Amino acid sequence: MDEVEEELQQQNSSVDQVGTDEIITEGASVVHGELPQDDTGPPKVDSEVEVLHEKVTKQIIKEGHGQKPTKYATCFLHYRAWTESTQHKFEDTWHEQQPLELVIGKEKKEMTGLAIGVNSMKSGERALLHVGWELAYGKEGSFSFPNVPPTADVLYEVELIGFDETGEGKARGDMTVEERIGAADRRKMDGNALFKEEKLEEAMQQYEMAIAYMGDDFMFQLFGKFRDMALAVKNPCHLNTAACLLKLQRYDEAIAQCSIVLAEDENNVKALFRRGKARAILGQTDAAREDFLKARKFAPQDKAIARELQLIAEHEKAVYQKQKELYKGLFGPRPEPKPKSKNWLIVIWQWLLSLFYLLFRRKTPKDD
C-alpha cells in the first residue's frame, strides 16, 4: 500500500491524473473488448467479400493493426456464432466473458474454418466469416454443446484480440505457472507502452491477452505466493484497462473493471478512485462519495481524492441552490391581502338614512 500512496502523492494538479493518465507499472474473471452493439442476429456488413478458401469468406467490420498470425501462433479471440439458415446463435464468448484460445494448425476439426479466418486477421480486427458446413460441424452437426444441426453453414463474428508467435504452438494449458504469469506480464508491459503512446484500444488488447492467461480456472488452482504473483499482474491489467475506458468515456465498463479488482482487494485505492470517478460522471453521487471516502481512509494525504470530494460537495451545493430558486419561482411569495373596495352606492344610502334620521328627530315634539 505504501507504493500506491507514494504514487498517488506524486500526481500533478490535474484532478484526472490518478483516474485516467496514470497506469500501473509495479510487479512484473476476464476482460472483454467493446461488446457488439446488435445482439439480435449477425451484423449487417457492406464491406468487400474476401474469399479465403472455397468454403470460407470474410468481410471486415473493423480494421486491425500489425502483422497476421502464422502457423502455430496462439491466438486469443472473441466470437459469436450462428447457423446461417436459422440465424440461431449457438455460442458467444463475449457473453461468457471468456475469450477462446486457438492455436493455428492445431485447432479442433469443427474450428477449421474459423482458424482459416483468424489466420487472415490482424490484432484488433473484427470480421464476419461465412464458413461452409464441411469446415464447421460437418455432416452430422453437434447435438451436445454447442447444439448445431447437420450440414449447417456457420456465420462467425470474430475479433482477434492478439496472438503469441510461440513457434510450436504451446497452449496455456501446457505452460507452467511461472510461464503463464511471465507471458501475462510481458503483455502487460506491452500494454503500458501503448498506453503512453495514447494507443488506448491497442493497449486494452494487450491487457486483455494478459488477463486471458489468468483465467478463472487458472486462478482457482493457485494459492500462496503463486496467487500473489498472478494477482500482481492481473489486477494492474484490470486497473489499466479502467484507465483506458475512462479516457474513452466508457464509464460503465470502467466501473466493471474496478469492481473485479475490489472483489480481490476491497481496499485498493486506485480501484476505489477510478470507480468513484466513473460513478461521479454518471451522476451516481452517493456511490461515488462512498468510494472516495473509503479511498481517503487509506490515502488520507492524497490531494486528488480530496479534490474529487470537494467537487461532489460543490456540485451538490449548486444543485441545492438551483432547486431552491426553482421552487421559489414555482410557488412565488405569498400575496399581500388586497384592501376591499368600497361600494359608494351603499355609502351614499347610509348617509341619506343618517340625514333623514336627524331631520326626523328635530320635528318630533319633546316629551315632558
Side-chain angles (χ1 to χ4, degrees):
M1 188 59 65
D2 290 340
E3 290 181 4
V4 175
E5 291 182 8
E6 180 182 354
E7 198 167 353
L8 284 168
Q9 292 168 3
Q10 291 174 351
Q11 301 311 311
N12 61 24
S13 58
S14 170
V15 297
D16 295 330
Q17 193 71 19
V18 177
T20 58
D21 290 342
E22 178 205 355
I23 56 175
I24 301 174
T25 56
E26 66 270 16
S29 62
V30 172
V31 128
H32 55 75
E34 187 175 2
L35 293 176
Q37 297 300 311
D38 184 9
D39 199 30
T40 59
K44 307 299 182 185
V45 186
D46 298 326
S47 60
E48 182 182 353
V49 177
E50 182 182 353
V51 178
L52 306 177
H53 182 276
E54 184 183 359
K55 297 295 180 179
V56 183
T57 62
K58 181 181 83 167
Q59 290 176 278
I60 295 176
I61 300 172
K62 184 183 73 173
E63 294 285 351
H65 55 86
Q67 302 298 314
K68 299 176 182 179
T70 59
K71 191 174 182 180
Y72 301 131
T74 301
C75 301
F76 299 94
L77 55 130
H78 274 301
Y79 72 95
R80 300 190 297 171
W82 298 264
T83 54
E84 185 177 24
S85 59
T86 63
Q87 303 285 290
H88 167 66
K89 184 173 72 171
F90 60 84
E91 204 155 14
D92 187 341
T93 64
W94 275 290
H95 179 73
E96 297 165 5
Q97 296 190 356
Q98 182 67 50
L100 173 72
E101 177 187 1
L102 187 148
V103 179
I104 301 294
K106 292 188 176 183
E107 68 278 351
K108 297 178 181 177
K109 183 179 180 181
E110 63 268 21
M111 294 288 185
T112 302
L114 177 62
I116 291 172
V118 172
N119 197 25
S120 72
M121 298 172 68
K122 299 177 181 179
S123 293
E125 181 179 327
R126 185 178 289 183
L128 180 68
L129 303 178
H130 177 286
V131 177
W133 61 266
E134 296 89 345
L135 299 182
Y137 289 85
K139 189 174 183 179
E140 296 181 358
S142 172
F143 292 95
S144 57
F145 180 82
N147 185 9
V148 184
T151 63
D153 294 341
V154 177
L155 293 173
Y156 290 101
E157 181 182 5
V158 186
E159 181 172 333
L160 179 59
I161 302 167
F163 57 89
D164 277 330
E165 291 287 5
T166 56
E168 294 298 326
K170 193 171 187 180
R172 286 175 296 178
D174 298 328
M175 293 181 177
T176 65
V177 171
E178 291 88 344
E179 285 175 333
R180 286 182 72 158
I181 294 174
D185 188 57
R186 288 191 294 274
R187 288 294 179 183
K188 184 195 76 172
M189 300 304 291
D190 290 342
N192 291 351
L194 290 165
F195 184 98
K196 291 175 182 177
E197 296 175 12
E198 293 292 322
K199 297 178 180 178
L200 303 180
E201 294 284 356
E202 296 174 30
M204 286 196 296
Q205 289 164 3
Q206 294 300 315
Y207 296 139
E208 186 170 3
M209 285 189 63
I211 294 167
Y213 282 103
M214 307 285 108
D216 292 339
D217 55 340
F218 176 70
M219 296 297 296
F220 183 75
Q221 302 174 45
L222 302 182
F223 59 91
K225 71 171 186 177
F226 290 112
R227 184 172 180 81
D228 292 340
M229 288 169 60
L231 287 175
V233 177
K234 182 175 181 287
N235 283 350
C237 288
H238 285 297
L239 290 173
N240 295 347
T241 300
C244 293
L245 292 168
L246 282 169
K247 279 181 168 285
L248 295 170
Q249 300 181 4
R250 290 158 58 180
Y251 303 116
D252 286 323
E253 294 174 70
I255 290 171
Q257 292 301 311
C258 294
S259 296
I260 291 173
V261 176
L262 291 167
E264 292 283 353
D265 178 9
E266 62 179 356
N267 300 326
N268 188 290
V269 173
K270 289 183 181 294
L272 289 167
F273 183 90
R274 291 177 185 172
R275 190 172 72 174
K277 284 278 291 183
R279 284 174 163 177
I281 293 170
L282 291 175
Q284 301 170 10
T285 308
D286 291 339
R289 184 192 298 105
E290 184 180 342
D291 281 341
F292 289 134
L293 288 174
K294 190 170 182 179
R296 189 171 66 177
K297 284 173 58 178
F298 301 99
Q301 303 302 318
D302 181 68
K303 295 179 180 179
I305 296 172
R307 279 194 295 272
E308 292 299 328
L309 286 168
Q310 183 180 355
L311 286 173
I312 288 178
E314 291 174 354
H315 171 73
E316 290 185 328
K317 184 178 179 181
V319 169
Y320 172 76
Q321 291 295 335
K322 191 172 182 180
Q323 290 176 341
K324 187 177 178 182
E325 292 297 322
L326 177 64
Y327 293 141
K328 182 179 178 181
L330 183 63
F331 297 107
R334 179 179 294 180
E336 295 291 335
K338 294 181 179 180
K340 294 182 179 180
S341 59
K342 295 182 179 181
N343 191 325
W344 290 105
L345 289 174
I346 296 175
V347 172
I348 293 170
W349 177 248
Q350 289 175 343
W351 179 79
L352 289 173
L353 284 175
S354 301
L355 182 62
F356 179 77
Y357 176 75
L358 290 173
L359 291 173
F360 180 79
R361 286 288 303 266
R362 288 178 182 177
K363 291 181 182 181
T364 302
K366 293 183 180 181
D367 295 334
D368 292 336

